[in-house]
Amino acid sequence: MTFENLKPLVVAIVSSENTTRDEKLLAICQLLNESVEYYNWVGFYFANHEAQTLHLGPYVGAETDHTVIPFGKGICGQVAVSNNNFVVPDVSAQDNYIACSFTVKSEVVVPLFVGGVNIGQIDIDSHVIDPFTEADERFLEYVNEQVATLF
Ligand code: SME
């Protein structure tokens, strides 16, 4: 499915009634994981700004030990500090990377802004080397803009 076709489905999930925010976030993870072949792990992390840590929220894919990540650590932790998208075409080329599984070859993390504050991020792992393009970044920014309306 194309990103343009996925956008209205994301909007439908966000605006669905009688579901909690976490159920919506999980449904978005499921949609993206099922619809994009190279999205093999899809999840949200949320920031605790006092503790300077990220906390795993709803996700789809292999279970991870990394449910709490300090700001600055790994790709996720760096995005918590930089406020910028981070595309990693090949995780083996990264020094500051937290490996979840040897099957993961690449990763993209896009920050989630609410009222200009970076409150978390969407994190996607792929089993393929270098699959992410600017189209993925624009799409994931769109997803996060929709998700931001839930906060
Ligand atoms: N690889 C991430 C850790 C989180 S997992 O991908 C689920 C990182 O380096 O921050």
Side-chain angles (χ1 to χ4, degrees), residues 3 36-41 106 124-128 131-133 136:
F3 291 138
V36 185
E37 213 183 343
Y38 53 92
Y39 286 9
N40 304 119
W41 189 98
S106 57
I124 300 192
D125 288 344
S126 178
H127 297 163
V128 180
F132 303 113
T133 68
D136 293 88

Side-chain angles (χ1 to χ4, degrees), residues 102-130:
F102 66 90
T103 57
V104 175
K105 302 287 188 242
S106 57
E107 178 164 7
V108 58
V109 177
V110 173
L112 169 60
F113 297 103
V114 175
V117 178
N118 179 350
I119 69 149
Q121 50 196 236
I122 190 166
D123 177 17
I124 300 192
D125 288 344
S126 178
H127 297 163
V128 180
I129 292 245
D130 197 13

Side-chain angles (χ1 to χ4, degrees), residues 41 45 64 66 69 73-77 97-98 100 107 123 125:
W41 189 98
Y45 280 93
T64 174
H66 306 291
I69 298 175
K73 269 211 74 185
I75 307 305
C76 296
Y97 169 70
I98 302 167
C100 284
E107 178 164 7
D123 177 17
D125 288 344

